Amino acid sequence: MSVSVRIPTILRTYTDGASEVNGEGATLREVLQKLDADFPGIGARILDETGKIRRFVNVYVGEEDVRFADGLDTVTPDGVQISVIPAVAGG
């Protein structure tokens, strides 16, 4: 499945400044693996050392927060947009 992945500003150093890149995979896990293969190092910023989505990173497949769907096993239909959104904190 061909998808688009929106890249947050903080991770654009991995994508040469691109705010959106093409991805492929039938599940979010496959899309993130391909994303990391195309842009080495970006996967470690999204997934922790155990392979789970980092606590302060939100990932949406279309309008759906994958934490409330099937997580990394969430199906990625052809043409869907995936958004990676890091949490912002401050004080």
Side-chain angles (χ1 to χ4, degrees):
M1 305 294 172
S2 180
V3 301
S4 63
V5 182
R6 295 182 68 191
I7 306 296
T9 303
I10 195 167
L11 297 182
R12 291 181 190 165
T13 55
Y14 294 94
T15 60
D16 295 326
S19 62
E20 188 169 310
V21 297
N22 293 323
E24 289 186 25
T27 65
L28 178 60
R29 182 184 319 274
E30 292 176 6
V31 170
L32 293 179
Q33 288 171 343
K34 176 81 167 91
L35 185 68
D36 193 55
D38 291 345
F39 306 101
I42 198 169
R45 301 293 304 272
I46 300 170
L47 304 176
D48 67 17
E49 54 283 340
T50 67
K52 295 181 181 176
I53 297 172
R54 290 189 176 277
R55 184 173 175 198
F56 296 110
V57 175
N58 298 304
V59 180
Y60 291 82
V61 171
E63 300 290 323
E64 191 164 19
D65 184 339
V66 299
R67 291 186 201 277
F68 301 104
D70 292 325
L72 292 171
D73 295 322
T74 300
V75 173
T76 53
D78 195 39
V80 76
Q81 184 172 64
I82 296 172
S83 300
V84 177
I85 303 171
V88 177

